[in-house]
Amino acid sequence: MTDGIMIRRLETNAEMRLIQQLEREVWDMSPVPTHQTFTASKNGGILVGAFDGEELVGYCYGFTGFKDGKTYLCSHMMGIHPEYQSKGIGKRLKQEQRKIAQQIGYDLITWTFDPLESRNAHLNTSKLFGISTTYIEDCYGEMDDGLNRGLPTDRLQIEWWISSNRVEDAWVPEIAEYKTPFQITQTPNGFPVLEINESEFLSGAEGVEVPVPQDFQTIKKLDPELAMDWRMKIRTVFQQLFAAGFAVTGVRKAEESVHYYQFVPAKTIPLQPIERGDRQ
């Protein structure tokens, strides 16, 4: 964690302009208009920033969502300046977002991320205790920024039930042994290749582990064909697991070229909000 970083809510037009500057540095793309972010902040949206002195080095932007009669916070973007990444700032931003969301009255926050970005996956599930049961094919269509260029923009949707036992008590499943019906081989330059054992894929599993690359961006840059192979195989595997009633609950880091998503039956996860009076 970086010492001296202050996390606080962003609400002024001047702060919206700071977000735009950081967006350009992080994604090299046109930023969200300030009239949109400012209006969202005044109408149920939450924007949180991380400051090193006067400099904005990270932010999180969410607006109100509504579906099937339920209101929730849609956390649309989170960006950290490249020099400040992997220092715990993302987790701190999300914790502040959660605190404000609870004060407003939300009990659910959702967002999407690339399932092949294992660092993001670990934060979202193993550190924040979000879950996922939804895989979205080519969510945003073709994008031309540095992180997304050249591949379908598939996304996992995270559900962060911020007042549930899962989050409040850091609930994790008790699985004696995860089934891993996959094999990892390597290309001549050492990149991991996913091989699927179709005959054993879902047979009698109470928990399943699915490998994904530790460093997908390097694979994208140096072996685009392999990157597409990972995209299509992970799409198939995740969709089959979700259709069978499984949910993502964590990512196990390994001393290999891959990390492992952990899937358990969705019905076993405690997601109901805890009544405030139940906490002393």
Side-chain angles (χ1 to χ4, degrees):
M1 185 179 295
T2 302
D3 293 334
I5 298 296
M6 182 180 69
I7 309 292
R8 63 174 174 82
R9 192 169 186 177
L10 307 176
E11 298 183 280
T12 69
N13 275 304
E15 290 167 339
M16 303 303 120
R17 288 191 288 274
L18 292 178
I19 291 174
Q20 287 191 316
Q21 295 173 18
L22 187 55
E23 281 184 77
R24 293 187 182 96
E25 292 187 69
V26 173
W27 287 294
D28 188 26
M29 60 185 286
S30 298
V32 177
T34 57
H35 61 76
Q36 167 63 38
T37 50
F38 180 74
T39 301
S41 74
K42 301 303 179 185
N43 292 275
I46 300 173
L47 292 93
V48 180
F51 287 85
D52 186 356
E54 297 297 317
E55 181 184 3
L56 182 71
V57 299
Y59 80 100
C60 190
Y61 163 45
F63 52 82
T64 302
F66 185 82
K67 184 178 181 180
D68 298 330
K70 180 172 182 60
T71 302
Y72 55 92
L73 183 71
C74 178
S75 186
H76 183 52
M77 303 180 82
M78 183 168 75
I80 312 292
H81 190 284
E83 295 180 6
Y84 290 81
Q85 293 176 5
S86 301
K87 298 179 183 294
I89 293 174
K91 183 178 180 181
R92 291 179 62 192
L93 284 168
K94 297 301 290 187
Q95 288 172 331
E96 183 68 13
Q97 181 190 56
R98 175 181 176 236
K99 183 181 76 173
I100 298 169
Q102 287 179 316
Q103 292 170 350
I104 292 175
Y106 293 111
D107 58 37
L108 172 64
I109 303 176
T110 71
W111 63 91
T112 61
F113 73 100
D114 188 333
L116 289 170
E117 295 291 346
S118 58
R119 181 173 61 182
N120 291 346
H122 186 259
L123 169 64
N124 294 337
T125 60
S126 293
K127 290 187 175 182
L128 297 175
F129 300 99
I131 70 160
S132 180
T133 60
T134 303
Y135 191 101
I136 307 171
E137 292 187 20
D138 203 20
C139 181
Y140 300 113
E142 183 177 349
M143 297 180 72
D144 197 36
D145 64 284
L147 291 176
N148 295 289
R149 186 179 299 115
L151 283 180
T153 53
D154 289 18
R155 295 293 185 265
L156 280 185
Q157 180 171 296
I158 285 289
E159 298 176 12
W160 197 22
W161 295 91
I162 58 176
S163 299
S164 67
N165 281 103
R166 161 69 173 166
V167 176
E168 292 272 9
D169 299 330
W171 180 92
V172 295
E174 296 181 1
I175 303 295
E177 184 178 0
Y178 283 89
K179 189 178 186 66
T180 310
F182 308 97
Q183 181 180 357
I184 296 296
T185 57
Q186 289 192 335
T187 65
N189 57 3
F191 291 143
V193 180
L194 180 65
E195 307 291 346
I196 304 172
N197 188 336
E198 296 284 357
S199 64
E200 298 182 6
F201 185 49
L202 285 176
S203 175
E206 63 169 340
V208 178
E209 287 194 332
V210 180
V212 291
Q214 284 196 30
D215 185 2
F216 184 61
Q217 286 301 319
T218 298
I219 294 175
K220 277 186 61 179
K221 292 175 184 176
L222 301 180
D223 196 337
E225 184 176 343
L226 177 59
M228 184 64 78
D229 183 69
W230 270 104
R231 174 68 85 215
M232 294 299 103
K233 286 178 178 176
I234 287 299
R235 176 189 288 183
T236 297
V237 169
F238 277 48
Q239 288 178 334
Q240 289 182 7
L241 284 165
F242 289 154
F246 285 83
V248 171
T249 57
V251 172
R252 177 174 65 86
K253 289 189 172 182
E255 297 297 324
E256 307 170 29
S257 58
V258 293
H259 294 321
Y260 292 84
Y261 276 92
Q262 295 180 321
F263 288 76
V264 302
K267 63 184 180 182
T268 65
I269 306 170
L271 298 179
Q272 291 302 313
I274 297 171
E275 295 295 331
R276 291 286 183 258
D278 292 347
R279 290 293 186 191
Q280 302 299 322

